[in-house]
Amino acid sequence: MAVASNVLVGMAEIHVLKGSGGFSCLGLGSCIGLCMMDPTAQVAGMAHVMLPEAFADRAGEKPGKFADTAVPELLALLEKAGARPERLVCAIAGGAQVFKFGAEGTNRLEIGRRNAEAVLTHLKSRGYTPRGQEVGGSLGRTMTLVIETGIITVRTVTQGEKTLCNLRA
Amino acid sequence: MSSETLHLGVMANSVVRELANIGLAHATTAMAELTGKTFDMAVPEVESVALERLPSILGDPNGLTVATYMSIDGDVGGHIAFLMPWHSAQQLWLMLVGDAPTSPDDVSDLHASVALEVGNMVNAGLLNSISDMTGLSLHATPPQVSMDMTAAVVASIVCEASFVDSVALSIQTEIFDLSHRVSGFFVYIPTVGGLRSVFQSLGVLEAA
C-alpha cells in the first residue's frame, strides 16, 4: 500500500490535495492554520496565514500570507480542484502569543489575536463558521489534517496531541 | 518590493560574518562573566534567506527552544533573538540557579528572568559590536522570552518582522562551554534599509 503523503505547509503557503494524503502546519505561533475540506469531493486545502491584511503599497506578495487574500485564494483553489463551496467545512488553529515572559505590555502588535479575528471575519463573510477552532493563548501549535479520516489534530509541546475536530463527521 | 530575500554579494556576506564574529565574541565574554565558565564559539555561518523560510532551516521545527527576543529601533531597525535548545537552557539554569525545571510548565519567575537576562546580555553583545564598528545607533526594546517549539517561536518573530522589508540572517553558530553542554544561536533580521546603512558606513557595496 502506498504511503499517503503529508504536505508541510510553510509560512504564507497554500496547498490543495484531492483524494488522499494530508497536511501539516508545523509550529504555528502567531500564524493561523486554516483547513477547508469538501468531504464528498475528497478535496482539501490548508493555508498558513502570517498577517491579518495585505499591505496596500506592496505588490508581488504571496496570497497565502494575509488573511484577507488567503481565504478567497484557498476557496478559489479548492473550487478549481472540484470542491463545491456549499459543502466546504473548515477549522482553524494558531494565533498565539508565544512570548509570554518579560516586557509586559509591549506586545503592541498583538498579531496572533488579530490574525485569528481576521481569518474568522473573512470566513464568516462567506458563510463559514469553523467546525473546530483552537486560537489564542500562549502555546505554539502544530496542526495536521488527514484527508481520508477528516480528522484534525493539534499538538503542543506541553499538552501533547489531541483531536480538534472531524471534518467528515 | 516584496519581502523576498535580498541577495548578499560575497563581500557583503563576509562583512556580516565578520560583524557576527566580533559580536559573538562579546556575547561569549558576557556568558563567561555571568557563569564563571569558559565559553568557546564556532565560526559563524551566515545565511540570508527569505523570511518565510527561516522557521524551516533551524533544526528540528518541533524541538523545544528557549528564545530571548528583542526588536530594535534606531539607525538599524530590526529584530534579534538568541535561541537555546531546552537542554542547554536547563544546563544554564543548573549553573546559575542551582536547579532546572523539567518542562516549560514548571518554569518559575526566577528561571524565566534568568533566561531573559542571559538572552538580553548576549543579544546586546552582538548589537553593541555592530554599533561600535559602524557608529550607527541600535536601540533594543525590552526583551521577551518564549519557551516553546522552535518553529512557532521563529515564525512569530518573522511575522513581526514582515511589516517592514527585512533581511533574515540566520547566524548559525554554537556558543558552548568546554563540556559542550550549553549551545545557542542567533536569528538577526535587520530591515533592508538598516542593513544598507551598515554596509554604507563600512564602505561596502552590498551586491559586489
Side-chain angles (χ1 to χ4, degrees):
Chain A
M1 196 182 104
V3 176
S5 62
N6 184 54
V7 177
L8 296 181
V9 183
M11 296 181 87
E13 291 179 0
I14 299 177
H15 289 276
V16 167
L17 286 173
K18 187 175 169 67
S20 65
F23 313 91
S24 291
C25 278
L26 296 182
L28 294 164
S30 56
C31 298
I32 299 282
L34 164 63
C35 289
M36 294 192 99
M37 181 161 92
D38 174 344
T40 310
Q42 299 267 73
V43 173
M46 191 182 235
H48 188 150
V49 179
M50 293 168 62
L51 295 171
E53 57 186 276
F55 305 111
D57 58 346
R58 270 199 239 171
E61 297 272 18
K62 291 180 185 167
K65 188 165 177 176
F66 310 99
D68 59 348
T69 50
V71 172
E73 177 73 7
L74 176 59
L75 286 167
L77 290 173
L78 287 165
E79 280 193 63
K80 207 171 153 189
R84 294 261 295 276
E86 69 275 13
R87 289 195 303 234
L88 287 169
V89 280
C90 64
I92 71 170
Q97 169 58 48
V98 299
F99 287 95
K100 58 176 172 176
F101 300 102
E104 303 289 331
T106 55
N107 305 323
R108 56 192 187 279
L109 297 178
E110 292 198 294
I111 296 173
R113 183 182 59 76
R114 288 166 51 204
N115 276 343
E117 284 176 7
V119 170
L120 287 169
T121 301
H122 290 289
L123 287 172
K124 196 178 175 189
S125 72
R126 289 164 180 83
Y128 299 106
T129 306
R131 178 165 294 174
Q133 69 177 67
E134 187 181 299
V135 294
S138 64
L139 294 178
R141 302 170 172 98
T142 287
M143 182 190 206
T144 301
L145 166 66
V146 177
I147 297 177
E148 284 90 338
T149 60
I151 290 174
I152 290 181
T153 52
V154 172
R155 198 181 81 80
T156 65
V157 164
T158 51
Q159 295 173 0
E161 186 170 283
K162 61 181 182 182
T163 300
L164 178 65
C165 64
N166 186 338
L167 295 183
R168 287 184 182 276
Chain B
M1 159 175 181
S2 81
S3 60
E4 288 304 300
T5 181
L6 173 81
H7 183 72
L8 294 186
V10 175
M11 184 65 184
N13 190 286
S14 71
V15 165
V16 172
R17 197 150 169 252
E18 190 50 30
L19 283 172
N21 222 343
I22 295 165
L24 291 169
H26 285 214
T28 307
T29 308
M31 291 269 282
E33 281 169 5
L34 185 76
T35 59
K37 301 248 176 191
T38 306
F39 282 84
D40 209 339
M41 146 191 115
V43 176
E45 285 296 321
V46 175
E47 200 181 345
S48 67
V49 297
L51 273 182
E52 289 95 44
R53 280 201 55 232
L54 198 52
S56 56
I57 65 164
L58 300 172
D60 175 11
N62 283 317
L64 184 53
T65 198
V66 175
T68 308
Y69 159 67
M70 293 137 95
S71 68
I72 310 158
D73 301 324
D75 296 331
V76 191
H79 303 265
I80 190 170
F82 177 64
L83 294 90
M84 281 184 291
W86 178 252
H87 181 72
S88 289
Q90 286 181 309
Q91 295 301 322
L92 208 60
W93 281 318
L94 284 173
M95 281 180 212
L96 298 173
V97 186
D99 60 47
T102 53
S103 120
D105 281 343
D106 305 326
V107 173
S108 69
D109 287 349
L110 177 63
H111 292 112
S113 84
V114 164
L116 186 139
E117 276 316 316
V118 170
N120 190 15
M121 236 173 25
V122 295
N123 283 343
L126 188 61
L127 296 178
N128 286 342
S129 74
I130 297 172
S131 183
D132 288 349
M133 286 181 66
T134 60
L136 298 167
S137 69
L138 291 84
H139 305 296
T141 57
Q144 293 175 277
V145 171
S146 177
M147 303 175 198
D148 211 318
M149 48 179 92
T150 310
V153 171
V154 176
S156 297
I157 296 169
V158 165
C159 288
E160 300 260 350
S162 31
F163 282 95
V164 182
D165 279 332
S166 301
V167 185
L169 299 175
S170 104
I171 301 176
Q172 301 257 21
T173 186
E174 300 253 341
I175 291 181
F176 47 84
D177 70 346
L178 295 181
S179 57
H180 287 247
R181 288 180 308 173
V182 177
S183 66
F185 61 91
F186 289 88
V187 169
Y188 178 44
I189 312 177
T191 61
V192 170
L195 193 59
R196 290 219 162 100
S197 302
V198 168
F199 290 141
Q200 276 163 13
S201 75
L202 296 171
V204 179
L205 294 172
E206 68 196 43

